[in-house]
Amino acid sequence: MSSKTATVDELRNLIRTSQFPPQSKLPSERDLAAQLRVSRSTLRSAMGALEAEGEVWRHVGKGTFVGKRPPEGREVFPLPADLTNPTEVMEVRLILEPQIADMAARRATINDISFMKQCLEKGEAAKDTATYEMWDGALHRAIAEAARNTLLLALFSAVNAIREHAVWGQLKEATLNDQRRRRYSMQHKNLVRAIERRDAVDCQRLMREHLAAVRDDMLNI
Amino acid sequence: MSSKTATVDELRNLIRTSQFPPQSKLPSERDLAAQLRVSRSTLRSAMGALEAEGEVWRHVGKGTFVGKRPPEGREVFPLPADLTNPTEVMEVRLILEPQIADMAARRATINDISFMKQCLEKGEAAKDTATYEMWDGALHRAIAEAARNTLLLALFSAVNAIREHAVWGQLKEATLNDQRRRRYSMQHKNLVRAIERRDAVDCQRLMREHLAAVRDDMLNI
């Protein structure tokens, strides 16, 4: 088996075993090449093969992402991240996401709910903060997708992208600890259960409580 | 007095007497030149003078707008307007704007409230639908600005821009009549009064009722 074919299989396996949520960004070419112990040119050619299979897609200048390329216009639109701040972002999340959770309770498919449960499990099993946050983000996005409103999802994605931006500085790393992670995991679990029993009112309340806890922890209120 | 100086004065007057709300788009060069009975080159040179005074600013490819150029990054960011529809837009407005009105009740300055009242008067005095809608839009924006959250204002602006997009088709023109305009004007007035007495709960309720009426009229629910 050629080095390229072996690398394609290893990469496919890495992605399929859900190390990375759909539409998440893969590690850099250099890091992946080091992890799989292949040259960067072998890695690049294996990525090309996976791209052709629709397992990953490349966003020029931004990196390689898991899954199929989103339809034109569905990518995150840029918000003026340099003009906002964590207090504003949490205020906006507390407006959008409780309503999103309410809608998700009424519109989520069984498939949506299965994926939310998968995000919960992966988040709980996460051995480091970065992996936990990846699945935390994937869960919130899955709920937003389940609300079945393209425009609302675009707003959610734009706000969400800011959380990965310099605006946050070291806030997340500095304020997330094991105790808080356990609390958020419990809140996430209750939320997904409420979506499953289609309790829109409870979903709204649970999401509001969860985000208020995140805000208070993060901004030291 | 040269033709240019006279045109500058007439144009400045047209803008200052608030024919057009701040940041609204001026009519085309051709229409303005016809209205003021000057050549297009005279008009263009008068516009240049007003731009230098900070009375108007030009957005390349989009037209000329009233007021000062917004700071970099404060312009409306584009949303995927071709992928959404009026039902989604009204659903999103019903999530954002009642909360915005709630925040405006607690954060609006006296100046904000004066400008809201001016929008009410101009809207009521409007002789045609286009002018009414311009002041209707200016009032909703004034409330969003009074909520004092840059990120929320950016989301509001993006959603608002969609209303001027082809997605609406003839919906607005086809569903707005005198009776509805009177009802909306009354709702707007009650809303501004509630902002003035700082009644956040009532503001939230009044904005929700207003937008639910607009939605029901427009989508024939």
Side-chain angles (χ1 to χ4, degrees):
Chain A
M1 197 157 66
S2 78
S3 166
K4 183 191 155 186
T5 316
T7 308
V8 170
D9 288 344
E10 273 194 272
L11 263 180
R12 193 190 291 111
N13 205 32
L14 202 68
I15 292 164
R16 289 248 175 105
T17 54
S18 298
Q19 294 276 334
F20 306 101
Q23 298 306 327
S24 66
K25 191 179 165 183
L26 288 174
S28 71
E29 212 172 78
R30 199 179 56 179
D31 289 352
L32 275 177
Q35 192 181 334
L36 302 177
R37 291 161 199 260
V38 295
S39 71
R40 288 178 67 169
S41 76
T42 301
L43 184 94
R44 209 170 297 137
S45 121
M47 274 295 189
L50 286 178
E51 191 179 6
E53 290 178 18
E55 298 272 356
V56 301
W57 64 282
R58 297 189 215 207
H59 198 156
V60 176
K62 296 200 174 169
T64 305
F65 295 81
V66 176
K68 294 199 189 310
R69 180 183 298 277
E72 192 78 32
R74 287 290 288 276
E75 290 164 39
V76 170
F77 56 89
L79 271 179
D82 298 343
L83 294 164
T84 188
N85 58 56
T87 300
E88 286 194 346
V89 172
M90 290 310 303
E91 204 167 74
V92 168
R93 291 189 69 193
L94 270 154
I95 291 174
L96 291 180
E97 295 193 53
Q99 298 285 338
I100 284 173
D102 179 299
M103 290 158 72
R106 289 178 275 122
R107 300 181 185 176
T109 64
I110 302 292
N111 272 350
D112 291 331
I113 296 169
S114 301
F115 180 65
M116 290 174 201
K117 287 178 177 173
Q118 197 188 325
C119 292
L120 286 177
E121 277 165 33
K122 300 271 177 192
E124 268 182 67
K127 290 197 179 64
D128 55 85
T129 305
T131 309
Y132 166 75
E133 290 197 334
M134 203 167 64
W135 289 104
D136 172 28
L139 174 63
H140 282 269
R141 159 168 290 276
I143 296 172
E145 284 182 354
R148 298 274 177 283
N149 180 318
T150 316
L151 179 58
L152 190 56
L153 181 61
L155 298 185
F156 168 87
S157 301
V159 174
N160 210 36
I162 290 180
R163 294 164 70 198
E164 281 148 38
H165 191 274
V167 68
W168 291 105
Q170 303 302 311
L171 257 188
K172 275 200 298 194
E173 292 79 347
T175 57
L176 187 63
N177 57 37
D178 281 353
Q179 192 199 333
R180 288 173 178 174
R181 228 180 92 177
R182 276 194 300 276
R183 180 150 61 115
Y184 300 161
S185 287
M186 184 51 74
Q187 292 172 330
H188 284 158
K189 208 179 274 182
N190 289 336
L191 189 54
V192 174
R193 280 193 195 125
I195 292 173
E196 199 168 19
R197 46 168 215 279
R198 308 296 184 179
D199 187 339
V201 176
D202 218 33
C203 279
Q204 209 181 116
R205 182 184 62 80
L206 288 165
M207 183 65 98
R208 189 169 294 116
E209 280 175 13
H210 168 54
L211 291 176
V214 173
R215 176 198 62 197
D216 293 353
D217 288 345
M218 197 176 273
L219 305 174
N220 261 319
I221 291 170
Chain B
M1 196 157 66
S2 79
S3 166
K4 182 193 155 184
T5 316
T7 308
V8 171
D9 288 344
E10 273 194 272
L11 263 179
R12 194 190 292 110
N13 205 32
L14 202 67
I15 293 163
R16 289 247 176 106
T17 54
S18 298
Q19 292 278 334
F20 305 101
Q23 297 307 327
S24 66
K25 191 181 165 180
L26 288 173
S28 71
E29 211 173 79
R30 200 179 56 179
D31 290 352
L32 275 177
Q35 191 181 336
L36 302 177
R37 292 162 198 259
V38 295
S39 70
R40 289 179 66 169
S41 77
T42 301
L43 183 93
R44 208 169 299 137
S45 119
M47 274 297 186
L50 286 178
E51 193 180 5
E53 290 178 18
E55 298 273 355
V56 301
W57 64 282
R58 298 190 214 206
H59 197 155
V60 176
K62 297 201 172 169
T64 305
F65 295 80
V66 176
K68 293 199 191 309
R69 180 183 298 277
E72 193 77 32
R74 286 290 287 275
E75 290 164 36
V76 171
F77 56 91
L79 271 179
D82 298 343
L83 294 165
T84 188
N85 58 56
T87 301
E88 286 194 347
V89 172
M90 289 310 304
E91 203 167 76
V92 168
R93 291 189 69 194
L94 270 154
I95 291 173
L96 291 181
E97 294 192 53
Q99 298 285 338
I100 284 173
D102 178 300
M103 288 157 74
R106 288 177 276 122
R107 299 180 186 176
T109 63
I110 302 292
N111 272 349
D112 291 330
I113 296 169
S114 302
F115 180 66
M116 290 175 201
K117 288 179 176 172
Q118 196 189 326
C119 292
L120 286 177
E121 279 165 32
K122 300 271 176 190
E124 269 183 67
K127 291 196 179 62
D128 56 84
T129 305
T131 309
Y132 166 76
E133 290 197 337
M134 202 167 64
W135 288 104
D136 172 28
L139 175 63
H140 282 269
R141 161 169 289 276
I143 296 171
E145 284 182 353
R148 299 272 177 286
N149 180 318
T150 317
L151 179 58
L152 190 55
L153 181 62
L155 297 185
F156 168 88
S157 302
V159 174
N160 209 37
I162 290 181
R163 294 164 69 197
E164 281 148 37
H165 191 273
V167 68
W168 290 105
Q170 304 302 311
L171 257 188
K172 274 200 300 195
E173 292 79 347
T175 57
L176 187 63
N177 57 36
D178 281 355
Q179 193 198 334
R180 287 173 179 177
R181 227 179 94 175
R182 276 194 300 276
R183 182 152 59 115
Y184 300 160
S185 285
M186 184 52 73
Q187 291 173 331
H188 283 157
K189 207 181 275 183
N190 289 336
L191 189 53
V192 174
R193 279 193 196 124
I195 291 173
E196 200 169 18
R197 44 167 216 281
R198 309 295 186 179
D199 188 338
V201 175
D202 218 33
C203 280
Q204 209 180 117
R205 182 184 62 81
L206 289 165
M207 182 65 98
R208 189 170 294 117
E209 281 175 13
H210 169 54
L211 291 176
V214 172
R215 177 199 61 198
D216 294 352
D217 290 344
M218 196 176 274
L219 306 174
N220 262 317
I221 289 170

